[in-house]
Amino acid sequence: MSDETTLSSADVAKLLQDPNSDNRAVAAEKVANTFAGKALSEAERAIAEDIFRAMVKDAAVRVREALSDSLKDNPSVPHDVAAALAKDVESVAMPMIESSSVLTDEDLVEIVKTRSADHQKAVAGRSIVSERVADALVDTDDEDVVAALVGNTGASLNEGTFDRVLDKFGTSQKVNAPMAQRQDLPVGVSERLVTMVSEQLRDHIMTHHEISPTTATDLLLESREKATVSLVEGGDQRTVQQLVDQLEANGRLTPTLMLRALCMGDTTFFEVALAKKAGIPVINAYKLVHDGGEMGLKRLFEVSDMPPQFLVMARAALDLSTEMLETGGDDRETYRKLMIERVLTRIEDEIDTENLDYLIGKLGSADVGSSASAA
């Protein structure tokens, strides 16, 4: 029994008797299917290729559509045929642009520069998009095209390309939302992006991407403050435990982040984070922190793999937190200012330089804020 998907003598006879566009479209599909088989001789393949070249010029779009759809996944299609179909009207071009491995970067860049936005979006959605093609897509300045590009995990973008996207569309949620979900953001790009996105996306960047300890701490503190306010106002914010779990799952729950949060007054986060690191209930961590004396906190640090040089600073911050609750009241800026001043006074040279610089910077920010308020 003959294969109904390949061209037969009956198909040829029918085409000769009535060469309308529907019959030509069927013939195009069957020739393409025949071409994909293994049984053709070199001479037969050459004839099929000549038929393709003739059909690429067929006046009926229906014929070219059938040809493009049938050849889109075939890696043996002649380059000139694939390129011609990819530069055709949208309905013809889309299958070839989206799927053909025959198209070169030169073909794709030309399509991006000369064809419609729909052609460009099809290029942006290919399973593999090179850095060169990605740059050409960003040059279109089309928000939808760039959104499709950054949302494509198969697209290769270097740091310079990411920066250009942020320069052009950093405030566009259509663009920055899929960018934040990518796994390959450079540190500098992550830190730029967090200033431009929604709070939910900022949390995602903090917990899934590499960013500096300073930026991570600032994001944590801001996120926690907003969560506290929202809870007071009846909002539905995730718990501290959920935040700690996500940070730990993505390797972002670092000792530096925990210590800085504590010195900024977030004892709850510190306690929950220590419990997570130690693998014990939060209530047990709380007791060790507050009721276990000096040995309780030291032991918890050891089990949690916290750097021992952080211990003196953590003790100073915890000792001061009870006192500061009375002197600082609900004024978070005053609380932090006093906390930082006293921690720095107590520990002097016993803190590592990186954290010292951060705390001094925070103290300077508090001073500036106080001066502005006074003015």
Side-chain angles (χ1 to χ4, degrees):
M1 186 171 64
S2 64
D3 186 347
E4 293 183 356
T5 65
T6 57
L7 193 68
S8 65
S9 56
D11 294 317
V12 175
K14 184 177 182 180
L15 188 60
L16 291 174
Q17 293 171 4
D18 186 10
N20 62 56
S21 60
D22 287 340
N23 285 342
R24 297 202 307 277
V26 171
E29 182 177 351
K30 290 191 173 183
V31 171
N33 290 335
T34 302
F35 184 77
K38 305 292 186 181
L40 293 183
S41 66
E42 286 300 316
E44 289 170 332
R45 295 186 72 80
I47 292 172
E49 291 175 1
D50 288 340
I51 293 174
F52 295 152
R53 292 186 177 99
M55 288 182 167
V56 162
K57 301 175 183 178
D58 197 298
V61 172
R62 172 75 183 86
V63 175
R64 306 198 306 277
E65 287 174 346
L67 187 65
S68 179
D69 192 59
S70 299
L71 294 178
K72 63 183 181 182
D73 295 318
N74 192 325
S76 301
V77 175
H79 174 262
D80 60 311
V81 172
L85 291 170
K87 297 168 188 175
D88 206 323
V89 297
E90 292 170 8
S91 61
V92 176
M94 292 305 142
M96 194 62 63
I97 293 176
E98 292 169 354
S99 303
S100 179
S101 61
V102 177
L103 299 176
T104 65
D105 279 357
E106 288 74 16
D107 296 324
L108 297 171
V109 169
E110 182 182 351
I111 290 168
V112 169
K113 290 182 176 180
T114 62
R115 307 304 293 168
S116 72
D118 284 336
H119 287 80
Q120 295 164 350
K121 280 188 282 189
V123 173
R126 283 172 61 89
S127 60
I128 297 176
V129 179
S130 71
E131 289 185 0
R132 178 185 174 190
V133 176
D135 283 336
L137 288 164
V138 175
D139 286 340
T140 64
D141 292 334
D142 186 298
E143 183 180 18
D144 291 332
V145 171
V146 175
L149 173 68
V150 299
N152 179 4
T153 57
S156 298
L157 288 80
N158 59 42
E159 186 164 1
T161 305
F162 278 122
D163 280 333
R164 290 203 299 126
V165 171
L166 291 180
D167 289 341
K168 295 171 184 284
F169 301 106
T171 59
S172 165
Q173 186 173 358
K174 183 181 292 186
V175 174
N176 62 41
M179 183 185 289
Q181 301 295 330
R182 293 182 66 92
Q183 299 297 315
D184 58 347
L185 292 182
V187 175
V189 173
S190 296
E191 295 189 343
R192 282 192 66 189
L193 188 58
V194 295
T195 66
M196 302 173 174
V197 297
S198 66
E199 183 178 351
Q200 181 179 3
L201 288 176
R202 292 180 71 176
D203 289 349
H204 177 86
I205 293 171
M206 179 176 69
T207 56
H208 288 76
H209 292 292
E210 188 69 31
I211 54 179
S212 71
T214 295
T215 301
T217 307
D218 289 343
L219 284 175
L220 168 65
L221 296 171
E222 182 176 335
S223 173
R224 291 280 291 116
E225 283 187 347
K226 288 182 178 179
T228 301
V229 171
S230 181
L231 285 171
V232 170
E233 295 175 349
D236 181 18
Q237 286 286 334
R238 64 182 180 178
T239 66
V240 179
Q241 185 68 64
Q242 288 173 318
L243 175 60
V244 167
D245 289 345
Q246 193 171 12
L247 286 166
E248 176 68 5
N250 290 284
R252 310 299 183 199
L253 190 63
T254 65
T256 295
L257 180 64
M258 294 163 61
L259 183 66
R260 289 179 175 181
L262 174 62
C263 287
M264 292 293 102
D266 198 340
T267 56
T268 300
F269 177 85
F270 182 72
E271 292 156 4
V272 175
L274 276 179
K276 184 70 177 181
K277 289 290 189 182
I280 62 176
V282 175
I283 186 62
N284 291 0
Y286 178 88
K287 290 179 179 179
L288 287 170
V289 168
H290 295 283
D291 303 325
E294 291 191 357
M295 293 308 297
L297 184 60
K298 181 180 179 181
R299 178 57 181 156
L300 190 52
F301 259 53
E302 292 171 352
V303 174
S304 304
D305 291 325
M306 290 286 286
Q309 65 269 27
F310 285 5
L311 182 59
V312 63
M313 187 174 177
R315 277 179 176 156
L318 287 166
D319 288 344
L320 287 168
S321 63
T322 301
E323 175 189 346
M324 300 297 285
L325 286 175
E326 299 177 0
T327 60
D330 293 329
D331 186 338
R332 298 292 292 174
E333 287 305 317
T334 300
Y335 180 95
R336 287 182 182 175
K337 184 176 185 295
L338 292 173
M339 171 71 85
I340 296 168
E341 287 176 342
R342 296 190 185 187
V343 167
L344 292 177
T345 300
R346 284 196 181 190
I347 63 176
E348 296 181 347
D349 297 330
E350 296 182 71
I351 182 176
D352 63 292
T353 302
E354 182 184 4
N355 283 314
L356 178 61
D357 289 343
Y358 177 76
L359 293 177
I360 290 174
K362 281 297 182 184
L363 178 57
S365 297
D367 288 337
V368 170
S370 298
S371 299
S373 298

